[in-house]
Structure formats: structure tokens, C-alpha cells
Amino acid sequence: GCMINGKLYPFGHIERTEDCYKCDCSEGGVECCSLSHRTVSYNKKKCKVVFNKKCCDCDVVQKDDPSKPCCFASSCV
């Protein structure tokens, strides 16, 4: 198998690792690509990115109150 981030996976196609990657594992090595999107356009002073491994997604939330999402310029009222 292949060791990916400290965990052993069997040879073949891996639909989703614990760290949200899709991989192909063979005797020649392993190739992976991320299943999540990277959020880059947000107010870094007021907001932070929280990664959710359960659904392989990122949420942008307010630093002062993480229960509230950050609004982007196009969606602010």
C-alpha cells in the first residue's frame, strides 16, 4: 500500500482520504489531489477560514464571532 499523511492505504484508487484528498496508489508511488477548494478572497483582518474535514469544505467566519459567516463585498447589505 501507500503511506499518506501517516496512514496506510491499499493499492488502487482512494476516493477520499481522512485529510480530504483523492489519490491513486501504486507500487510506483502515490499521486493525490485535494478535494477541497481554497478560499483566498476574504477580509483577513475581520474573518478567518475554518476547515471542515467532515465535508471537505471551508467556511469563512467572523473572528469575533465564529458562529456568524463573513459576508463578501458582493453579498453585504
Side-chain angles (χ1 to χ4, degrees), residues 48-74:
K48 66 180 180 177
V49 175
V50 178
F51 185 71
N52 183 340
K53 278 188 177 183
K54 188 175 181 179
C55 60
C56 295
D57 199 5
C58 292
D59 295 320
V60 181
V61 296
Q62 295 178 17
K63 284 183 180 179
D64 294 341
D65 186 354
S67 68
K68 294 181 181 177
C70 268
C71 64
F72 296 87
S74 61

Side-chain angles (χ1 to χ4, degrees), residues 12-40:
H13 180 72
I14 302 148
E15 192 61 37
R16 180 179 169 213
T17 68
E18 289 180 355
D19 295 323
C20 297
Y21 286 91
K22 182 189 299 188
C23 301
D24 287 306
C25 170
S26 69
E27 290 182 26
V30 63
E31 290 185 23
C32 298
C33 63
S34 178
L35 292 172
S36 64
H37 300 284
R38 181 171 278 194
T39 303
V40 294

